[in-house]
Every structure is written in structure tokens, then in C-alpha cells.
Amino acid sequence: MDVKVFKTFLEVAKTRHFGKAAENLYITQAATSARIKQLEQFFDTSLFVRDRNNIKMTCAGSRLVSYAEVMVNTLEAAKAELALGDDKSLQLMLAGTPNIWDAYLQKSLSQIAEAFSGYGFQAETLALAQLNRQLLERTIDIAFSFDPLKCDDIISKPIAQTQLVLVSTLESELNTALSHRYVYVDWGTRFASEHHLRHQGMPAPYLRTSTGRIALDFILDRGGAAYLPLSLVHELLAAKRLFLVEGGEVWLRPIFINYRQDSASSEAILRVDSLLEQLQSC
């Protein structure tokens, strides 16, 4: 079965629309329908219930999603590995949650790539649940997160930490900043519980987002406040485009590196782990 068929199935499952799926995949709607029909004939079951303006997944379709994701991810990883040039000895797949890229990985990735000139790298942004699943499925080698991934087969340990500071587009004190277009950024489960305890009784956030970059762009455009990594905002603070909120405490958040203890790439993973520890201590 062609992997394109499973890619099409996953896109229809995500969009719940044959036309939108076709547009996202740069194919015709007729080709999209033909691929889904091919899959349904192969499994001898219906995967979608088609109404005029609504598409619902059948129970069989819902069960197929996880298998289709494994097949697509595994084949893509194999394709990337086989496509390595003769000067590359190994392909390492790295992934992190969106906020990890803003706070840590963007800079660290370039340092890793420079230190491992004999390796090829692929980097992805994934939700926490996807990180856990794809590590177990061996479709990624290393995952970075603000919360440890808890599984017997996964090693999870703090590798670094980031400083979150409460910044605002106006000079203000704590209560004002939290009540005027405050943007809540998801910095992990522990942050959520501590945030609730630290700021009890505050109004509902003006906006919630999973990435610091979205929060930063929003407050710079519309005004407001957010907890953001100092590494992301220090130049804006120096230029007085942002201000530290009076009464806002610095929040230290640990960053975890996660990998399978029985990974086929364990030697390279341990070298990455060691490098990041050295960079953190510098």
C-alpha cells in the first residue's frame, strides 16, 4: 500500500473535509476520494460517514489513525535515513514541544549540528503526547519537554533550565499587568499548577497559547503582558520595547531531555546529552 494513501487518510481525518485535504496535499479532490476508497476496499470497511456538509469518522477509521501515523512516520524516517549522503554516518531525529523551541532548542540545535558534523539531523515540533508516543514507536530519537515523559522504557532527566520573566509593553505593576491583555503561555504542567497558586483570583487571560513566540508577537502588536524566556526578550528589554513587571518574580523552569534507553542510536544520543550538559555549565 502506497504511503501517500495513508497520508491522505490522515489529512482527511484531521480536516474532516475532502476538499480541504486535497488542497493541503496539492492533489485533486477526485484523487483524494479515490485514495480513501482504495483504503476502504483494502480493509473492507468504511472509514468515513459522508454527509453533504459534514464528514465523520467511523469506529474503524478512528482505530486506523494511530496505525497510519506509525506507518507514515516510520517510512519517512527510513526515507530520511537512506537519503543520507556518504559523508553522513547517522540521522538523528529531534523533537520538542512548541514552547521548548522558543525557550531553548532554537539555539541549542545549531550548536548540536555544528558539533556533530558527521550526522544528519531532522527537527520537529510536536505536542507532549506525540513526543511520548513517537519515542516509544522509535520514530524520533530525542525529545525535549518542560515535563518529564514517564515510561519505564524512557530515560528522562533535566538537561537545562530557562528563566521566565513577566514582561509588559508598558511599565506596570503586577496586578495591572495580569488584568490588561495578559497572555497565558503553556510552560508545562508544573507551571500551570504553580501559576494558579501564585496568581489566585486574577482575571481570565486575554489569550492562551502554547508558544512564547505567538505571545511575544501578540503583545508587541496589541499591547499586553506575558511570562516569556529572558533569552527571547532581553534585547527588547534593552531597547525598552518591553519592561519587566514590578513585583513579577523570575520563574526557573527545568528542561528535560528524553530518549529510549535501548535506542539503536544510544551512542550518539549520549554524546548529545553530554554536549548539552557542557553547554549548560559554561
Side-chain angles (χ1 to χ4, degrees):
M1 181 69 68
D2 193 332
V3 68
K4 293 178 181 177
V5 175
F6 289 101
K7 285 183 176 180
T8 303
F9 164 72
L10 290 173
E11 193 63 34
V12 174
K14 182 175 72 174
T15 62
R16 295 292 201 274
H17 195 283
F18 279 75
K20 291 179 181 177
E23 182 179 344
N24 292 343
L25 294 170
Y26 301 100
I27 60 176
T28 65
Q29 188 167 337
T32 301
S33 298
R35 290 178 182 180
I36 298 301
K37 184 176 181 180
Q38 180 183 353
L39 205 55
E40 291 179 326
Q41 289 175 340
F42 180 82
F43 289 110
D44 193 25
T45 188
S46 296
L47 301 174
F48 299 97
V49 177
R50 302 161 176 81
D51 293 329
R52 180 180 296 272
N53 296 314
N54 189 26
I55 294 178
K56 297 180 180 179
M57 296 187 70
T58 64
C59 291
S62 297
R63 291 196 294 270
L64 181 60
V65 168
S66 59
Y67 293 102
E69 289 177 340
V70 171
M71 292 186 68
V72 170
N73 291 333
T74 301
L75 288 172
E76 290 293 334
K79 182 179 178 181
E81 186 76 30
L82 295 176
L84 284 176
D86 293 337
D87 61 331
K88 302 295 184 183
S89 60
L90 182 67
Q91 173 89 14
L92 275 181
M93 312 284 284
L94 313 179
T97 52
N99 48 23
I100 285 287
W101 283 101
D102 298 326
Y104 176 69
L105 267 185
Q106 201 69 50
K107 179 180 179 182
S108 298
L109 179 60
S110 62
Q111 295 171 316
I112 293 171
E114 183 177 353
F116 291 78
S117 57
Y119 293 173
F121 290 93
Q122 183 170 331
E124 301 289 345
T125 299
L126 298 171
L128 189 64
Q130 291 176 301
L131 287 179
N132 194 82
R133 185 172 71 250
Q134 291 198 28
L135 265 184
L136 293 175
E137 293 168 354
R138 303 178 190 272
T139 53
I140 59 175
D141 298 301
I142 305 174
F144 296 89
S145 59
F146 278 114
D147 295 305
L149 302 183
K150 298 179 180 179
C151 178
D152 291 340
D153 295 327
I154 294 177
I155 293 175
S156 182
K157 66 175 187 177
I159 193 69
Q161 65 179 10
T162 189
Q163 297 182 62
L164 300 178
V165 292
L166 183 58
V167 296
S168 174
T169 49
L170 298 173
E171 294 186 82
S172 57
E173 50 82 33
L174 185 61
N175 290 334
T176 301
L178 294 176
S179 60
H180 179 69
R181 290 187 177 174
Y182 172 66
V183 179
Y184 177 88
V185 184
D186 179 11
W187 296 112
T189 305
R190 182 177 174 183
F191 175 84
S193 60
E194 291 179 358
H195 186 280
H196 175 72
L197 292 173
R198 185 180 290 192
H199 302 309
Q200 293 185 35
M202 65 167 285
Y206 188 79
L207 174 72
R208 290 179 178 268
T209 179
S210 62
T211 69
R213 181 64 64 179
I214 290 177
L216 176 60
D217 290 345
F218 180 87
I219 66 174
L220 288 176
D221 182 50
R222 302 293 301 276
Y227 278 101
L228 296 171
L230 183 59
S231 59
L232 187 64
V233 300
H234 70 278
E235 292 183 359
L236 294 167
L237 290 168
K240 297 192 180 301
R241 295 186 61 194
L242 290 175
F243 302 90
L244 291 175
V245 173
E246 184 181 345
E249 299 179 31
V250 175
W251 222 316
L252 296 179
R253 297 294 295 122
I255 295 168
F256 292 85
I257 184 172
N258 310 274
Y259 51 87
R260 290 186 64 100
Q261 56 185 346
D262 60 349
S263 172
S265 305
S266 58
E267 182 179 347
I269 292 171
L270 291 175
R271 286 184 60 194
V272 171
D273 186 349
S274 177
L275 171 65
L276 293 176
E277 286 185 342
Q278 292 174 22
L279 293 174
Q280 182 66 15
S281 62
C282 292

